[in-house]
Amino acid sequence: MTTSLRFIKTCAKISLLFLAVTIYSCNTLKRVGENELLLTDNTIYADDREVKNEAIKSLIVQEPNSTLLGYPLRLNLYNLAKKNPDSSFQAWLHRKEKREARLIRLLSKKQVNRLGESFLVSGLSEWLKKIGEAPVIVDTTKSRRTLERLSAYYGSKGYFNNNTTFVIDTLPRKKRAKIDYKIDLGKPFIIDSISKKIASRAIDSIYQLNAEASFVKEGEQFDLAQFAKERERLSSIFRNSGVYNFQESSISYDIATDTTKVADDQQMNIELNIDNFKKRGDTAVTSTEYKVYKFDQINIYTDYLYNGDDSEQQSIRYGDYNIFYHNKLRFKPKTLANAVFFEKDSVYREIDRTRTYRQITNLGVFKYPTITSEPNGEGNTLDANIYLAARPKYSLGTSFEVTRSNIQQVGLALSPSLQARNLFGGAENLSLAGRLSIGSSNDPSIVDNRFFNIQEYGADLNLDIPRIWFPFFNTNKVIPSYTLPKTRISLGTSFQKNIGLDKQAFNTVLSYNWVPSDLIKHNVELLNIQFVRNVNIDRFFNVYSNSYEQLDEVADAYDNAGQYPELASFFETTDDSSDPQLIIPTGTTGFTQAVLNNEISTTEDELETVNRIEERRERLTENNLIFASNYTLNLNNRENVADNTFYQFRFKVESAGNLLSAISAIIPFEENESGDRLVFGVPYSQYIKTEFDYVKYWGISRSNVLALRTFFGIAIPYGNSNNIPFVRSYFAGGANDIRAWSPYSLGPGRTDAINDFNEANLKIGVNLEHRFPVIGNLKGALFADAGNIWNVFDNVEDPEATFTGFSSLEDIALGTGFGLRYDFTYFVLRADLGFKTYNPANEISKRWFTDFNLSNSVLQIGINYPF
């Protein structure tokens, strides 16, 4: 890993040097003609005030060349390309009299011609032009088009009498210019009165009930955007009030100025027009009055793709629904009825149609449904037809992965899976997924000499139920089916060999999730039971080498058999060292017990070190039983993947051990020598844990994004526990955290990574990142990460690792750096280089910038953005 990192850093240095030479060899004005001007900036002024709104600035037709941190990189890459590479090659070929003849004798006439067409000659220039950017030359035609756009935009805001002009400001630097666009807005037009002309009586009645919430109001400034919003609002209201066929094009506005007022009043009279329904036939367009429709028949066809004889089709009536099927109905009628939100004699609502689509899709047993609503000729009534095509009941899948990590040099993983849909007829989906992975590790603690010397295998069984399954309680009124409720019951197990302490893990989860709206998502894990068994606890000091080195350093002073002959059996001399070392595990255990039982005389610091190592060993080698419940709230107002102005908020609270403590008051549990209550011989964990995670994006321009993430988490042990299980604790560092530190290498507090895997039960983190384009799909980022972990309210007494109050905030580490990301559309490949800007593990006078260098930097490779 170290060799690879050195190679990467060497390549980075060479690349940076090459880039620097390339940049300084470029001439920005190389492709700018004698009578041309390179556009460097655009500025818009409205009534002499600079406009900074990105939406308005996007109306400018001609933009300057893009820059990377203020430097026109793509322009200079374009300038590196030869204008006529073939002519340049021919000139070089004939510059010396005998050069062409020598090349022909060496290569052949055909190969010389191909050389002129090669990538190095012409292909390289074409590639540079493709990734580069031609100079943007000031074009007054495009400037006039920009004025037309700006005038139209401000006209849509009520400034109908605006005047626009532009000024080309030639800069002192040769052949460069910027353009100032100036708009004299004038006085805006105001809506004086609003009248209406509605053809259909049903539409008029619905409008009257909803008129007060209109976006278009008297006395307000004219704004075309408000008229568009009002058309959308009215269309939605009508379609959700029984008018299933309402056309938004039926809504129009007539706008007129008041000729009875003085000219400069600029008052406007608005007339709202809502026409009848129009249908285009073969020869003419017919018009009919809009009406409010109610449902009569609601038909559900469960075998839409059936190719047999329709006369074999059977049906049953369930509540308001006619369910059609062939041969045998494979779905419970109640399940189908709960997925449809149309009811007999209820008015048509577009939202019910949308919810029906979502819920049927959420069942996971049908392909995308088709829903139609048609008048049945009996008054103002509709027939709803829902056509469903079932997915295959069983499906097999498999995936194969090649991996690499700090544990293994190379790994192979095979994951077969089986899915059974509609298991019990109620759209219950069962999935069974297995995982088998083998890997190669050069860990000296592994005695297995085979190439693939580490293994991990396991399986997960998940049952998804498309409703809230809760015995003896009906949750439909509290959590309606349109919120896409789902229950998941899962069982899982995994086994490791030659990985850490060779853990065996068993877990089971009963969870519920539902989505009331696009903004909110709830998740409740009523039961989350996890049992972790450490198989080879004697390997602790082989795996946690830092702890071993600390213990062996203390033992060095006592390896003289003459002074303590009883300790001689604890040491051995290895080929790698002439100094005796503690034998694992007999020597480490024996020496630790001798120190803690006061069998040898040690200093206070040595006793504290040995005691701390032993407490950590006991905690990390003991088996864990976690019997927890948790609730998670997710808020997300992001509209789509292109939305760069949004926020995400996640709140989670988890409680463990309380149910078992309550049972212990009735049924006495066994206890160990420490007084901890045991379940199946294992002390159960008891704690309360809560987390707050907030992410905010700002679109500072069309292609630049500022992203912020803040995190706070704390887990407090109590009752049957005095510490937090390792699997529920926090760590700092890594590709998605404080990127100037490797995972588990930061903290706790101001300690200098005293353990191999440093973790604690309190974490604070803040990440700030500026993302910007570089070339094409290649993006760049500048980032600053701050945070740390601490111990608090547990059995750790080290003041350097413990959070004691606001003064401990001095231990917050700061890492800064830059990164490159390539967008593959479906995922983003990311490389970030972090530098330790403020390292709390150093002395106070050496914390700032002491480790701010390439040798102490950390390269993080990740998939997708860190937050």
Side-chain angles (χ1 to χ4, degrees), residues 609-648:
T609 299
V610 173
N611 187 62
R612 177 178 55 79
I613 293 173
E614 179 62 12
E615 287 181 348
R616 179 173 172 80
R617 186 194 68 80
E618 290 180 353
R619 184 166 79 88
L620 296 183
T621 58
E622 72 176 359
N623 299 331
N624 295 127
L625 175 62
I626 303 172
F627 204 103
S629 301
N630 62 65
Y631 165 73
T632 303
L633 168 67
N634 285 284
L635 303 177
N636 187 343
N637 71 342
R638 190 171 195 176
E639 296 181 356
N640 51 62
V641 293
D643 183 6
N644 285 326
T645 303
F646 67 94
Y647 73 86
Q648 296 175 347

Side-chain angles (χ1 to χ4, degrees), residues 133-300:
E133 196 174 67
V136 178
I137 306 301
V138 172
D139 186 338
T140 56
T141 301
K142 293 181 179 180
S143 298
R144 284 189 288 271
R145 285 173 54 197
T146 298
L147 291 183
E148 293 173 0
R149 288 186 173 190
L150 291 173
S151 180
Y153 171 80
Y154 282 105
S156 73
K157 298 299 179 182
Y159 298 100
F160 294 129
N161 297 324
N162 68 76
N163 293 307
T164 59
T165 186
F166 69 89
V167 176
I168 299 176
D169 184 4
T170 305
L171 300 176
R173 299 170 65 189
K174 185 180 178 182
K175 294 186 178 181
R176 294 177 173 87
K178 68 175 185 176
I179 300 178
D180 294 334
Y181 296 96
K182 299 182 179 181
I183 304 100
D184 182 10
L185 298 177
K187 190 176 180 180
F189 279 75
I190 305 298
I191 299 174
D192 182 48
S193 65
I194 302 175
S195 59
K196 63 183 177 66
K197 182 180 178 182
I198 301 177
S200 299
R201 288 169 295 176
I203 294 294
D204 186 52
S205 178
I206 298 171
Y207 176 81
Q208 296 294 342
L209 295 174
N210 298 276
E212 290 186 2
S214 175
F215 288 106
V216 180
K217 297 180 179 179
E218 296 178 357
E220 293 189 353
Q221 181 175 326
F222 177 89
D223 188 343
L224 194 59
Q226 296 298 96
F227 285 81
K229 290 170 65 176
E230 177 64 4
R231 290 182 68 190
E232 293 178 4
R233 186 187 77 91
L234 291 177
S235 297
S236 177
I237 290 172
F238 299 145
R239 290 169 184 163
N240 284 286
S241 300
V243 188
Y244 84 99
N245 58 347
F246 185 80
Q247 301 166 324
E248 188 173 314
S249 59
S250 296
I251 303 175
S252 63
Y253 291 92
D254 289 336
I255 303 173
T257 56
D258 193 343
T259 57
T260 64
K261 303 282 184 77
V262 294
D264 60 352
D265 279 347
Q266 300 188 176
Q267 303 290 312
M268 308 181 72
N269 297 322
I270 307 296
E271 183 180 67
L272 168 66
N273 297 306
I274 304 181
D275 294 333
N276 285 328
F277 173 75
K278 294 181 180 179
K279 183 177 181 180
R280 184 177 297 277
D282 295 334
T283 58
V285 176
T286 60
S287 177
T288 58
E289 187 174 344
Y290 282 114
K291 297 177 182 179
V292 173
Y293 285 85
K294 294 183 178 182
F295 285 109
D296 181 19
Q297 299 295 320
I298 304 171
N299 306 314
I300 303 174

